Amino acid sequence: KNEVEQSPQNLTAQEGEFITINCSYSVGISALHWLQQHPGGGIVSLFMLSSGKKKHGRLIATINIQEKHSSLHITASHPRDSAVYICAGASGAGSYQLTFGKGTKLSVIP
Amino acid sequence: KAGVTQTPRYLIKTRGQQVTLSCSPISGHRSVSWYQQTPGQGLQFLFEYFSETQRNKGNFPGRFSGRQFSNSRSEMNVSTLELGDSALYLCASSLATGAETQYFGPGTRLLVL
């Protein structure tokens, strides 16, 4: 059974801080997705990773396949980054059959 | 380009009834996936469709079914509703299976009384 563990569950940061959210996953997961969910439910897909590192604006995602671990970093955090961040593992190549972590609720205080 | 649309946005049903939810993907997208989100279980995968074929199904009872039409629009059906089916049902579309980015709809919030 595929599993995805996320930490921390809750995170409060001051505006401008560097933020890291961690995700560990089990054997059988071939790609890792990072999602952002805003209050009200809307979900935005941030990254899909199967190796290496990706960057988009202030967001950076990395994955270590040997350690089965991925991190999402936010540089120069801003209150608009406040959301729930969810990592999800894809069980097969080219599949959206995802196993989701429980999410990290991030609050960035001005 | 219009985003992913889901109808209805809100729905109230009673136990034992059935419900059909609809998802219209972004124009040109052929892959549609469905997910259920509840406070207790979080997000869970329901189905994945590509070109009218169900590629994968999550660990849900047979009361949950779905289909995709030739225009890529998708529907999911839940029969004999139970209280525990109350959830936010999300669909997401992408150009192809395994494409880098999925685009999520706003969801249908179902309440079963």
Side-chain angles (χ1 to χ4, degrees):
Chain A
K1 183 185 170 188
N2 290 334
E3 292 182 341
V4 174
E5 298 280 343
Q6 240 182 286
S7 64
Q9 272 192 300
N10 293 283
L11 185 54
T12 301
Q14 290 291 129
E15 182 173 356
E17 283 186 1
F18 181 84
I19 288 162
T20 296
I21 299 169
N22 296 299
C23 181
S24 297
Y25 57 92
S26 62
V27 171
I29 286 174
S30 58
L32 213 290
H33 295 250
W34 283 100
L35 311 172
Q36 179 192 54
Q37 186 169 31
H38 292 281
I43 292 181
V44 174
S45 176
L46 298 175
F47 298 104
M48 184 185 80
L49 292 159
S50 53
S51 64
K53 176 180 174 178
K54 289 189 177 178
K55 183 176 190 287
H56 186 258
R58 294 180 296 105
L59 300 177
I60 303 166
T62 63
I63 190 167
N64 184 317
I65 297 166
Q66 286 73 32
E67 294 185 6
K68 296 189 177 25
H69 181 268
S70 177
S71 293
L72 177 69
H73 306 286
I74 305 175
T75 61
S77 59
H78 189 276
R80 66 174 173 266
D81 297 326
S82 298
V84 176
Y85 292 84
I86 303 164
C87 69
S91 58
S95 169
Y96 281 120
Q97 183 167 5
L98 303 179
T99 301
F100 295 88
K102 294 197 180 301
T104 295
K105 185 175 180 182
L106 171 65
S107 301
V108 181
I109 301 167
Chain B
K1 208 180 232 187
V4 178
T5 58
Q6 291 187 246
T7 56
R9 291 292 311 279
Y10 303 92
L11 204 47
I12 300 175
K13 291 285 189 179
T14 55
R15 276 181 301 173
Q17 286 187 308
Q18 76 162 20
V19 68
T20 299
L21 311 182
S22 181
C23 172
S24 292
I26 291 171
S27 178
H29 285 194
R30 297 167 65 193
S31 173
V32 173
S33 298
W34 288 89
Y35 305 96
Q36 181 199 61
Q37 186 174 35
T38 60
Q41 298 295 320
L43 276 160
Q44 294 182 278
F45 168 79
L46 278 160
F47 315 102
E48 179 184 5
Y49 289 92
F50 180 74
S51 293
E52 302 180 68
T53 300
Q54 186 179 91
R55 294 190 76 234
N56 291 295
K57 184 173 193 270
N59 189 24
F60 279 82
R63 300 184 296 108
F64 290 79
S65 63
R67 58 181 175 168
Q68 186 181 32
F69 301 96
S70 58
N71 62 358
S72 294
R73 190 177 70 85
S74 179
E75 288 181 348
M76 65 163 283
N77 184 275
V78 188
S79 62
T80 321
L81 284 165
E82 300 177 359
L83 296 179
D85 298 332
S86 295
L88 179 67
Y89 290 88
L90 293 152
C91 87
S93 77
S94 64
L95 275 171
T97 55
E100 283 223 4
T101 305
Q102 270 190 314
Y103 296 85
F104 283 79
T108 293
R109 196 166 291 278
L110 172 65
L111 177 62
V112 182
L113 301 174

